[in-house]
Amino acid sequence: RGIVDEKSPSATLYTRGASSMMTEGLIAGQIEEAVEAQRILAYDIDNLRTILNEIQADVHLSTVRIDKDEESETSPILSYITGLVMDMMLYMFILIYGQMVMTSIIEEKNNRVLEIVVSSVNPTSLMLGKIAGIGLVAITQIVIWGALLAIASAWALPVLGAAAASVGDASLSGAMAQLGDTAWLASLFGWLVLFFIGGYLFYSAIWAAIGSAVDNIQDASQLSSIATVPVIIGIVCSMSIVQDPDSTMAVWVSMIPFTSPMAMMSRLPFGIPLWQILTSLAILYASFMGLIWVAAKIYRVGIFMYGKKPGLADLIRWARYK
């Protein structure tokens, strides 16, 4: 009886072994239903449960943007999911192909191939060629994925559209309308490619410098946090950005080159101002131009260093060599 009268009911579950969140949730739900049933009976009103069920309202909210040249139906849920998916795709591609640059340079350095090649090729040109070659492979894979998604969407959209019409769900109808917007999908894919190229070039320059400075993957793992930590920070920030893509934090994080590729991917599906996208791209590519100059100075020294486990201070000293 006491738990029924408590404003915030509490109960204790005793178990002989480890409990699980699912078990606790099911038990708590059953207790809540029992308490609510007893409280309804206490009012002594006929059919009170039926009355409460009848007055409940389930509102389906549709969203139409009016800040553009023409009104367009949008789906915040679809934008939320799309932003997270694009964010994770960019995160995966940058890490995989950026670290591939580092691994390739370490292998060539151990095989003494670089010592032969640099006798006829400028070290900076060699590093840029390595980055460009692996980057083209990554872009090819992105284009293939984009084509497959376009084919799948063309097949699935009519089915989903019919389902949305039969159910009459406004939010689902808005999502179908947004997915059917070819210009919206094409712009997202175009921005994805541009931000991937910028993010890949930016981070691959860091990984190239790290790969040239070490002799094996084990030594590289300690220095690679210089590149991996900012990428992870960008992913963590994106989880908040998709909740409020126009917040001050979202704008600033999407301008910092270390986090802008991931942050912008989270914001783009929501339809942000064009000047913010172009400004972020300009900062990202300009930062790559400055970073590649520093990375090249480390690269030309590091490829001739053997048997030494360099630290961050060593990389800074090599970057300062004339």
Side-chain angles (χ1 to χ4, degrees):
R1 181 68 181 174
I3 194 174
V4 176
D5 298 330
E6 292 179 7
K7 184 176 182 181
S8 299
S10 61
T12 304
L13 173 65
Y14 295 92
T15 64
R16 293 187 180 276
S19 180
S20 66
M21 293 181 62
M22 181 178 295
T23 301
E24 293 178 4
L26 290 173
I27 294 175
Q30 292 176 356
I31 295 175
E32 288 174 0
E33 291 179 0
V35 170
E36 290 174 359
Q38 291 298 317
R39 289 178 175 178
I40 289 175
L41 291 174
Y43 284 96
D44 195 20
I45 300 176
D46 294 337
N47 300 322
L48 181 56
R49 171 68 74 177
T50 303
I51 296 172
L52 291 175
N53 290 333
E54 290 177 351
I55 64 175
Q56 288 182 349
D58 186 12
V59 179
H60 297 280
L61 184 67
S62 60
T63 306
V64 177
R65 293 196 62 165
I66 60 173
D67 59 339
K68 297 184 177 181
D69 295 335
E70 58 182 21
E71 295 184 0
S72 59
E73 193 172 4
T74 62
S75 172
I77 297 177
L78 177 63
S79 298
Y80 178 93
I81 296 173
T82 304
L84 288 181
V85 171
M86 293 176 62
D87 193 20
M88 295 306 298
M89 285 178 59
L90 203 65
Y91 165 78
M92 180 180 65
F93 280 125
I94 288 177
L95 280 184
I96 291 175
Y97 289 101
Q99 292 183 350
M100 191 179 295
V101 172
M102 179 184 70
T103 304
S104 178
I105 291 175
I106 293 174
E107 291 176 354
E108 292 177 354
K109 183 179 177 181
N110 288 332
N111 296 331
R112 307 285 177 165
V113 174
L114 290 178
E115 294 182 1
I116 301 174
V117 177
V118 295
S119 62
S120 56
V121 180
N122 182 275
T124 303
S125 300
L126 182 63
M127 183 184 72
L128 289 174
K130 175 71 67 176
I131 293 174
I134 296 177
L136 290 174
V137 174
I139 292 174
T140 302
Q141 183 174 352
I142 290 176
V143 171
I144 293 174
W145 281 27
L148 293 175
L149 287 174
I151 295 172
S153 298
W155 175 81
L157 275 178
V159 178
L160 295 175
S166 62
V167 173
D169 191 335
S171 60
L172 185 58
S173 299
M176 292 302 99
Q178 195 167 353
L179 279 174
D181 188 348
T182 307
W184 180 73
L185 294 175
S187 65
L188 284 183
F189 182 75
W191 293 126
L192 173 65
V193 173
L194 289 176
F195 274 100
F196 165 74
I197 293 175
Y200 165 77
L201 292 175
F202 183 85
Y203 279 101
S204 62
I206 300 176
W207 271 304
I210 294 172
S212 67
V214 298
D215 297 334
N216 52 68
I217 298 296
Q218 289 72 25
D219 292 342
S221 61
Q222 298 180 1
L223 290 174
S224 61
S225 59
I226 300 173
T228 55
V229 169
V231 176
I232 294 173
I233 292 174
I235 286 291
V236 173
C237 291
S238 296
M239 300 302 172
S240 299
I241 290 174
V242 291
Q243 302 289 342
D244 187 4
D246 292 325
S247 65
T248 303
M249 185 273 287
V251 174
W252 280 106
V253 172
S254 63
M255 296 299 168
I256 301 172
F258 285 96
T259 56
S260 61
M262 285 68 66
M264 268 300 177
M265 286 301 99
S266 301
R267 299 183 66 209
L268 281 170
F270 293 91
I272 62 176
L274 180 61
W275 71 266
Q276 293 186 11
I277 304 174
L278 296 179
T279 301
S280 179
L281 278 174
I283 295 174
L284 180 60
Y285 281 86
S287 300
F288 159 71
M289 297 301 294
L291 186 60
I292 199 68
W293 177 75
V294 176
K297 298 182 72 173
I298 297 174
Y299 182 87
R300 69 183 183 183
V301 177
I303 56 177
F304 298 109
M305 292 291 182
Y306 295 94
K308 177 180 173 60
K309 187 176 180 180
L312 182 59
D314 297 312
L315 298 184
I316 295 175
R317 187 174 66 255
W318 295 350
R320 297 175 64 180
Y321 285 165
K322 300 295 184 181

